[in-house]
Amino acid sequence: MAANYWESTQRKFWTFTRQDLAQERKKLEESERSLVNAFPMPDRRHLSIYFSNQLTKMARPLAIRQQAMATAQVYVRRFYTKVEIRRTNPLLVLATALYLACKMEECPQHIRIILAEARHCWDASFNDISKIGECEFTLISELNSQLIVHHPYRSLAELQTQFQLTQEENSLAWSIINDHYLTDLPLLHAPHVIAITALILAVVLKPTQSGYQLHAAGVANALQTLSNVGNARNAEGPGFPPRLQKLIDWLAESSVDIEAVIECTQELISLYHVWDDYQEKAVKDAIAKFVKARD
């Protein structure tokens, strides 16, 4: 297994520029133009929210670890850069991705248990183990057997000790990392950039008594601090609290790409904006139309 992200298949083959990723998706849509026109889909982030909710519904009774869940989400996102979603049954892909991710993250689940939970959560027609087996083969093939995923959680654990995050701040940062899987960020930036973004937002925003749910307005307020980080390379920040000043000084002296951190923050702002308009029934109905047409 590749312990080093910089030598990993993730960095070499599954990290794109935003322009390259858009081009890949455009080519995929052009090759399936009739399907795309026949079955309009909701916002891609709404799809990701729906997929995450369904994976959570399936994984919670099985006590599957969060990292395996995250790996499954990355598999699904990679898979749909290579395969048009309207050519698939997304629920079957979700169940298979979770089954494969559990094996890769060394918390395997028996295929019959995965099948039974899928049937319980979604559809009584999930009654054939061979479907998951066939889908697993397809998934591995489309991912070119490049199944090791590096996550931001490890980087966050290292930074947590260095900057002495409180338990509440660490929980908020962890929540932000979980949310980034609902965006294209896992395909665009290195895990340590995501971890640093989550750390900054957790320290700047502060967990509230109402919980850890973030909102676009709150995250947007953190952009001013990030701008000051950029300025700190040439001048001292304007009277920040000591721990935040320590973080700003560390970033100013490091080789971390502040522009990338700002881009990650803006992507999260965009996610929280569209999250307010999310309607699960609309996404579920859109998927059901093309699945029913295929069947």
Side-chain angles (χ1 to χ4, degrees), residues 194-214:
I194 307 299
I196 290 169
T197 302
L199 172 69
I200 293 172
L201 293 179
V203 172
V204 172
L205 295 177
K206 301 290 185 184
T208 64
Q209 293 181 351
S210 60
Y212 301 121
Q213 181 62 48
L214 300 181

Side-chain angles (χ1 to χ4, degrees), residues 221-290:
N221 290 337
L223 282 175
Q224 182 59 47
T225 298
L226 290 176
S227 298
N228 287 325
V229 173
N231 296 334
R233 285 195 164 102
N234 301 312
E236 188 175 344
F240 292 114
R243 208 154 56 89
L244 182 55
Q245 185 64 56
K246 177 182 177 182
L247 174 58
I248 290 175
D249 291 343
W250 178 81
L251 286 169
E253 294 169 2
S254 73
S255 59
V256 174
D257 186 349
I258 299 300
E259 293 301 320
V261 175
I262 291 174
E263 182 181 344
C264 291
T265 305
Q266 291 171 331
E267 186 75 13
L268 288 166
I269 291 172
S270 179
L271 169 67
Y272 296 134
H273 272 305
V274 301
W275 207 326
D276 290 337
D277 300 326
Y278 172 70
Q279 295 180 346
E280 184 161 310
K281 186 177 184 302
V283 180
K284 183 177 180 180
D285 290 347
I287 291 174
K289 287 180 182 178
F290 67 75

Side-chain angles (χ1 to χ4, degrees), residues 14-17 21 25 77-78 81 184-189:
W14 293 105
T15 302
F16 304 86
T17 65
L21 184 59
R25 288 173 172 163
R77 189 165 292 278
R78 290 179 181 182
T81 66
D184 285 331
L185 292 178
L187 300 180
L188 298 173
H189 293 290

Side-chain angles (χ1 to χ4, degrees), residues 64-103:
I64 292 173
R65 293 190 292 114
Q66 176 60 40
Q67 185 154 316
M69 285 272 293
T71 296
Q73 288 176 282
V74 172
Y75 287 169
V76 172
R77 189 165 292 278
R78 290 179 181 182
F79 181 73
Y80 284 130
T81 66
K82 305 287 283 296
V83 177
E84 168 54 47
I85 188 172
R86 299 165 182 83
R87 287 281 183 198
T88 71
N89 179 342
L91 295 181
L92 177 60
V93 173
L94 289 177
T96 305
L98 186 61
Y99 171 62
L100 181 59
C102 286
K103 288 200 280 188

Side-chain angles (χ1 to χ4, degrees), residues 58 62 109-118:
M58 185 177 172
L62 304 179
Q109 297 285 334
H110 196 283
I111 192 170
R112 291 187 182 278
I113 294 177
I114 294 290
L115 180 69
E117 198 58 44

Side-chain angles (χ1 to χ4, degrees), residues 68-179:
M69 285 272 293
T71 296
Q73 288 176 282
V74 172
Y75 287 169
V76 172
R77 189 165 292 278
R78 290 179 181 182
F79 181 73
Y80 284 130
T81 66
K82 305 287 283 296
V83 177
E84 168 54 47
I85 188 172
R86 299 165 182 83
R87 287 281 183 198
T88 71
N89 179 342
L91 295 181
L92 177 60
V93 173
L94 289 177
T96 305
L98 186 61
Y99 171 62
L100 181 59
C102 286
K103 288 200 280 188
M104 290 302 299
E105 296 297 341
E106 299 180 353
C107 54
Q109 297 285 334
H110 196 283
I111 192 170
R112 291 187 182 278
I113 294 177
I114 294 290
L115 180 69
E117 198 58 44
R119 185 166 59 242
H120 173 74
C121 290
W122 303 324
D123 192 343
S125 66
F126 273 85
N127 54 15
D128 188 352
I129 285 179
S130 66
K131 288 185 178 180
I132 292 182
E134 291 171 5
C135 189
E136 181 185 18
F137 178 82
T138 302
L139 192 62
I140 293 172
S141 177
E142 292 296 342
L143 299 184
N144 299 321
S145 300
Q146 296 158 351
L147 303 177
I148 297 173
V149 179
H150 294 258
H151 295 286
Y153 300 114
R154 178 181 294 180
S155 297
L156 177 63
E158 296 171 354
L159 292 168
Q160 175 193 4
T161 302
Q162 182 171 353
F163 292 100
Q164 300 178 334
L165 294 187
T166 65
Q167 183 176 352
E168 291 78 13
E169 289 168 341
N170 188 59
S171 296
L172 180 56
W174 186 281
S175 177
I176 293 168
I177 289 176
N178 292 347
D179 288 347

